[in-house]
Amino acid sequence: MDLAYMAKMPAEEFITRRQKLVEQMEDNSVAVVFSSQEQVRNNDCCYPFRQDSYFWYLTGFNEPDSILVITKRDGVSQVYCFLRPSDPLMETWNGRRLGIEKAPQELSINTAYAIEDFLAIFPKISQNLTALYYKKDQQSWGEILLNQLKQESAVDFPRIFDVALILDEMRLFKSTNEIALMQQAGQISALAHIRAMKEARPNRFEYELESEILHEFNRFGARYASYNSIVAAGENACILHYTENDQPMKDGDLVLIDAGCEFAMYAGDISRTFPVNGKFTQPQREIYEIVLKAQKRAIELLVAGNSIQQVNDAVVRIKVEGLVRLGILQGDVEQLIEQQAYREFYMHGLGHWLGLDVHDVGSYSQSFANGDRNSRLRDRPLEIGMVLTVEPGLYISSKSNVPEQYKGIGVRIEDNIVITEHGNKILTSAVPKEIDDIEKLMAQQ
Ligand code: GLY
Ligand code: MN
Ligand code: MN
């Protein structure tokens, strides 16, 4: 696979997305979407810049201090961008800027203005428009600017809508171009996990495997992880979001790695669990086989028309049956499911939408379409073009009251899939998950 292929989204795709947004806006309205801003890490050092996912989705523009404004007036749309003007001195110190002159052509928009002029110009371009769309819950500079406009220039709109209600639904369905980028993210993430398996040894530290993973991401142009990598050996695997990654890995323990790269802004999200010394013990094998069976069954069932909830029900049954067989749970399978007795060992969901954000946007609930914004059910039937993770796990804390040999074992197996007309396609299949395949790969060290 040519990993340099198609790292850039074609400009037409951003135009099409903006058109789709405009189609769903009421007439005589304006949408305002804010970029991210640089975030201070300490003193005068910033975190690596990461563009706001909504802003990126509509512009493909990767600079801070920018605002996209789209007006729809008597059915006709205009697209404006406010951005940082060229500044030779600032650019010498801090990096290149697109600048106002080049922005219309580069971003395929109508007009560009300096960001400093937003408060003066916005009241003019939004004059007499009666509805505003913006991301309401953004605790951002955008919110401050809009409040300032209201107070200083009496810019107010009779109707205000959350633009995310439109954009989340659009983002949930991935285009062919997006799926190609996500395939790359999945492939690079998979290569990183393969490398970690090959590099694992007793007494190495968790961070040593993390460094192999991050290097592999970087090697292919995925400069950042799409979330903080989890490298959790032994019982650390029972801490779901363990990110300290600072412990030595013991001979005889498993290590759970949950890590994915961000490639061209799209997230990969893979978990694999494997023995530090390359050989599963019998109890580790028994727990692992339950999770693997559940994960493979889930992948069979995650097809158009089924819901995540339905598939999770099947996953829960496989796990409960397995845990009863091992004596970790005792009693009647139906009753244990009914009482949710498994939740001590499986306390998270089966998976989540994946895209520009690792926990991507979009409703999981069928009733959302009917206006119910509060439902927590994951009963929405899957549709072609949705991308999601499938990540069952079992976590047997040493504090739990179970047979001794299973204590401290945590296993999660996570892949990324896209729903297709033929079922689904696994984007992360390059990294092994069968016990024999993992042991064979690790024996090649
Ligand atoms: N890595 C975060 C998750 O799996 O949801
Ligand atoms: Mn994950
Ligand atoms: Mn995940």
Side-chain angles (χ1 to χ4, degrees):
M1 179 173 190
D2 177 5
L3 291 170
Y5 156 81
M6 244 285 306
K8 205 170 179 315
M9 182 66 74
E12 297 75 50
E13 184 131 350
F14 298 105
I15 298 172
T16 309
R17 290 169 181 172
R18 294 195 295 255
Q19 284 166 348
K20 280 194 184 150
L21 169 61
V22 167
E23 281 164 21
Q24 294 172 78
M25 288 162 58
E26 63 176 46
D27 204 10
N28 296 314
S29 66
V30 57
V32 184
V33 182
F34 298 91
S35 75
S36 299
Q37 284 192 306
E38 296 275 16
Q39 299 292 327
V40 172
R41 182 174 184 272
N42 58 305
N43 196 10
D44 58 352
C45 298
C46 287
Y47 287 103
F49 179 73
R50 171 54 159 80
Q51 188 55 282
D52 175 81
S53 295
Y54 292 104
F55 186 85
W56 176 266
Y57 185 75
L58 294 172
T59 64
F61 183 44
N62 202 32
E63 289 190 21
D65 303 329
S66 311
I67 307 174
L68 176 73
V69 176
I70 305 178
T71 58
K72 179 175 180 181
R73 196 183 286 278
D74 300 329
V76 179
S77 68
Q78 290 283 318
V79 184
Y80 308 89
C81 191
F82 293 81
L83 69 161
R84 304 175 308 178
S86 301
D87 180 331
L89 181 64
M90 291 302 287
E91 290 181 60
T92 298
W93 281 88
N94 296 331
R96 296 185 179 91
R97 296 177 174 190
L98 176 61
I100 294 163
E101 294 72 23
K102 289 196 192 139
Q105 161 111 23
E106 192 67 25
L107 303 177
S108 311
I109 59 166
N110 298 101
T111 314
Y113 296 110
I115 185 67
E116 290 81 1
D117 295 334
F118 178 74
L119 289 173
I121 290 177
F122 184 77
K124 293 184 189 137
I125 58 183
S126 64
Q127 207 168 23
N128 299 329
L129 297 178
T130 48
L132 168 68
Y133 293 80
Y134 81 106
K135 181 137 177 16
K136 280 182 185 176
D137 64 352
Q138 230 172 9
Q139 290 181 344
S140 69
W141 63 296
E143 195 81 49
I144 296 168
L145 277 179
L146 290 174
N147 282 333
Q148 214 174 328
L149 276 171
K150 202 167 168 178
Q151 279 154 19
E152 292 174 9
S153 312
V155 173
D156 210 354
F157 296 89
R159 282 183 303 291
I160 296 184
F161 300 107
D162 188 349
V163 72
L165 293 179
I166 300 173
L167 294 177
D168 289 359
E169 194 64 15
M170 287 169 58
R171 282 175 54 186
L172 179 53
F173 294 89
K174 273 63 179 181
S175 68
T176 308
N177 286 327
E178 287 182 296
I179 290 167
L181 294 177
M182 295 193 72
Q183 175 70 77
Q184 305 268 79
Q187 177 73 5
I188 295 168
S189 303
L191 292 175
H193 279 260
I194 290 171
R195 180 158 152 185
M197 284 179 186
K198 288 182 176 167
E199 292 298 326
R201 312 266 191 288
N203 304 320
R204 283 197 174 159
F205 281 77
E206 294 164 338
Y207 55 70
E208 293 185 74
L209 292 192
E210 183 180 18
S211 73
E212 301 290 343
I213 285 168
L214 296 179
H215 184 214
E216 197 70 3
F217 291 171
N218 259 277
R219 240 158 59 77
F220 295 109
R223 293 277 312 287
Y224 304 107
S226 58
Y227 53 94
N228 295 330
S229 307
I230 297 167
V231 182
E235 190 163 358
N236 295 337
C238 298
I239 303 169
L240 296 180
H241 291 156
Y242 174 84
T243 50
E244 285 89 343
N245 301 354
D246 60 358
Q247 296 299 306
M249 303 185 292
K250 290 202 204 85
D251 201 357
D253 276 353
L254 293 176
V255 56
L256 184 161
I257 299 185
D258 184 342
C261 75
E262 183 173 273
F263 180 79
M265 303 295 277
Y266 286 86
D269 182 8
I270 301 181
S271 300
R272 287 292 185 269
T273 311
F274 53 92
V276 169
N277 65 13
K279 273 276 175 204
F280 284 82
T281 66
Q282 187 57 29
Q284 289 167 353
R285 186 179 279 267
E286 286 166 352
I287 302 288
Y288 190 93
E289 291 287 14
I290 298 172
V291 179
L292 183 61
K293 182 177 176 190
Q295 207 248 12
K296 291 200 298 194
R297 182 70 186 132
I299 290 174
E300 280 171 9
L301 294 173
L302 286 167
V303 297
N306 286 344
S307 69
I308 294 175
Q309 186 56 55
Q310 277 173 327
V311 180
N312 194 47
D313 289 346
V315 160
V316 163
R317 180 167 296 275
I318 290 169
K319 287 182 180 176
V320 171
E321 284 169 358
L323 292 172
V324 167
R325 206 167 46 243
L326 300 185
I328 292 174
L329 283 176
Q330 277 130 19
D332 173 63
V333 167
E334 298 306 328
Q335 272 182 9
L336 292 166
I337 293 173
E338 179 74 21
Q339 297 157 357
Q340 301 197 343
Y342 57 87
R343 286 197 66 84
E344 181 183 353
F345 310 110
Y346 174 42
M347 60 296 272
H348 58 73
L350 177 62
H352 49 84
W353 308 135
L354 187 71
L356 289 171
D357 295 315
V358 63
H359 295 156
D360 209 29
V361 293
S363 170
Y364 291 90
S365 145
Q366 196 163 29
S367 57
F368 192 83
N370 308 326
D372 174 2
R373 305 278 181 244
N374 299 318
S375 171
R376 297 192 58 78
L377 292 177
R378 296 196 161 205
D379 58 354
R380 177 178 187 155
L382 295 169
E383 293 177 62
I384 293 167
M386 291 173 165
V387 178
L388 67 157
T389 68
V390 47
E391 51 181 302
L394 282 174
Y395 314 91
I396 321 286
S397 156
S398 60
K399 296 189 193 80
S400 51
N401 185 18
V402 301
E404 206 58 34
Q405 66 269 30
Y406 300 118
K407 288 186 177 179
I409 295 178
V411 173
R412 179 163 62 256
I413 306 171
E414 176 175 24
D415 281 300
N416 307 155
I417 64 171
V418 53
I419 306 300
T420 66
E421 56 184 345
H422 307 297
N424 62 52
K425 179 167 185 245
I426 307 177
L427 302 174
T428 48
S429 54
V431 55
K433 60 187 175 190
E434 298 289 337
I435 286 182
D436 285 352
D437 294 337
I438 292 174
E439 291 188 343
K440 214 179 288 169
L441 178 74
M442 294 186 74
Q444 290 170 13
Q445 292 167 357

